[in-house]
Amino acid sequence: MPKNPAPHTPIEVGDGAAIPHKGDAGLFTAWRIAFFGAIFVSLYLAFGKPDPYFEIFKFVPDGILVTFKVTVGAILLATLIGLITGLGRISSNRLVNGTASLYVEVIRGIPLLVQIFYIYYALGRFVKIPDMLSAIIAMAVCYGAYMGEVFRAGIQSIPKGQMEAALSLGMSRSQAMRQVILPQAFRVVLPPIGNEFIALLKDSSLVSILAVSDLLRRGREYASETFSYFETYTVIALIYLIMTLFFSKLIGIMEERLNAGK
């Protein structure tokens, strides 16, 4: 392997919450103000004005768990789809490359909400799919197209000399991809994957239109029963904010530890 490989080309992040890093260290960072401010406001509302805020906080935890399950399931499946799509996008086989490219172009041109409706209602006419599973599949199919472009860019950012050096050591092309290229590419794509996770967490609220009792749907159920729309959606917004900030911090820590092991 070359001792001093060329630096990886950074991948631009186009969506999702900002992931905090060590460079953002300080007592009053934007992340800390937002995160601890959201927690403080939540505690103040829950215990300072328990009627109706405490009741709302007691009503929605089941929805938080469902939102988490949908997000994690969708991001794992989307990562697998994205990896396969990314490899297809750089394949020299015209059929494989064309199929992967067509998938990316078609999916990116259809709104996520339409895809959710299509998989849930249109495909449901032919195949019975559980509500949560159909929501996970719809989210994964949509985000898999974007993840495919992330993996394509990540793999192509690795210097070609890495592949040539691996081949010269007697590795097959698939071995070189698995053992040399993909481990390096993973470090490059981790930040954009983290941002896709945060974006997917927010977009998971769209599945509330189905019979999936996620966080937003639980809030809508409470609001429709009590007509406390302002209070309910204030709580829902605070919970989403705390969740996205928490996971953005967690992803930032994972990224720093992974880079520390270089």
Side-chain angles (χ1 to χ4, degrees), residues 9-207:
T9 303
I11 299 176
E12 295 294 334
V13 176
D15 194 9
I19 295 177
H21 298 92
K22 283 185 177 179
D24 303 328
L27 184 60
F28 296 107
T29 62
W31 183 89
R32 288 180 179 175
I33 293 172
F35 183 71
F36 292 108
I39 291 178
F40 174 79
V41 172
S42 298
L43 292 175
Y44 171 76
L45 292 176
F47 297 102
K49 299 182 178 180
D51 186 18
Y53 288 104
F54 189 70
E55 295 301 319
I56 300 171
F57 276 109
K58 287 199 308 181
F59 190 82
V60 298
D62 291 347
I64 297 174
L65 183 59
V66 172
T67 292
F68 183 73
K69 288 180 179 178
V70 170
T71 303
V72 172
I75 197 67
L76 291 177
L77 186 56
T79 302
L80 178 61
I81 295 173
L83 176 59
I84 295 172
T85 304
L87 291 172
R89 289 274 284 157
I90 62 171
S91 173
S92 57
N93 185 303
R94 296 182 64 180
L95 177 61
V96 173
N97 191 303
T99 303
S101 300
L102 182 63
Y103 162 68
V104 171
E105 296 300 333
V106 170
I107 295 299
R108 290 199 308 182
I110 301 175
L112 175 57
L113 187 57
V114 177
Q115 294 179 43
I116 291 174
F117 276 133
Y118 190 84
I119 290 177
Y120 186 75
Y121 291 108
L123 292 185
R125 295 180 59 186
F126 307 100
V127 181
K128 181 60 178 176
I129 305 174
D131 301 333
M132 184 180 293
L133 181 59
S134 66
I136 291 174
I137 291 174
M139 302 288 292
V141 168
C142 178
Y143 273 82
Y146 293 95
M147 298 278 275
E149 289 301 274
V150 169
F151 275 103
R152 178 192 59 76
I155 294 171
Q156 289 181 333
S157 72
I158 305 302
K160 292 182 179 178
Q162 296 284 305
M163 174 62 82
E164 295 169 356
L167 294 177
S168 68
L169 291 175
M171 291 184 181
S172 66
R173 188 166 288 276
S174 62
Q175 283 180 314
M177 182 61 72
R178 288 198 313 272
Q179 300 177 18
V180 178
I181 304 301
L182 287 181
Q184 298 181 72
F186 182 74
R187 287 194 176 95
V188 180
V189 304
L190 184 60
I193 287 179
N195 279 282
E196 293 294 333
F197 176 84
I198 301 300
L200 199 154
L201 173 61
K202 293 185 296 181
D203 283 346
S204 68
S205 61
L206 292 173
V207 305

Side-chain angles (χ1 to χ4, degrees), residues 198-226:
I198 301 300
L200 199 154
L201 173 61
K202 293 185 296 181
D203 283 346
S204 68
S205 61
L206 292 173
V207 305
S208 66
I209 59 174
L210 307 179
V212 178
S213 295
D214 74 325
L215 176 58
L216 181 57
R217 185 178 179 88
R218 290 290 285 170
R220 288 168 57 191
E221 290 172 355
Y222 185 90
S224 63
E225 293 175 1
T226 62

